[in-house]
Amino acid sequence: MRKVLEYIHVTYHYDSREERDDHVAMMESEGWECSGQIKETASVHTGEYVYCGKFVKYTSI
């Protein structure tokens, strides 16, 4: 058996759009791919949204 691909997925929540945008730029400079999603529902019950960043990185072994 041998591993041929590793997939890492991370999600961040931010306090502001500016904080999100700065972090997205940093992550992309480190080789992460951003999904492009800007907000997600923080609470289904209240309908509140938070800024988010969803990133993936693939590593070949």
Side-chain angles (χ1 to χ4, degrees), residues 5-10 26-35 54-60:
L5 180 70
E6 184 173 79
Y7 170 82
I8 303 168
H9 177 235
V10 294
M26 184 200 70
M27 293 290 282
E28 288 179 335
S29 74
E30 294 177 2
W32 291 86
E33 295 178 29
C34 181
S35 71
K54 296 185 178 198
F55 302 91
V56 295
K57 192 172 200 178
Y58 300 92
T59 306
S60 299

Side-chain angles (χ1 to χ4, degrees), residues 1-3 6-7 12-13 15-16 40 43 49 51 58-59 61:
M1 170 177 55
R2 66 185 174 107
K3 182 176 13 175
E6 184 173 79
Y7 170 82
Y12 293 90
H13 286 175
D15 294 326
S16 69
E40 71 180 9
S43 171
Y49 291 91
Y51 289 101
Y58 300 92
T59 306
I61 304 300

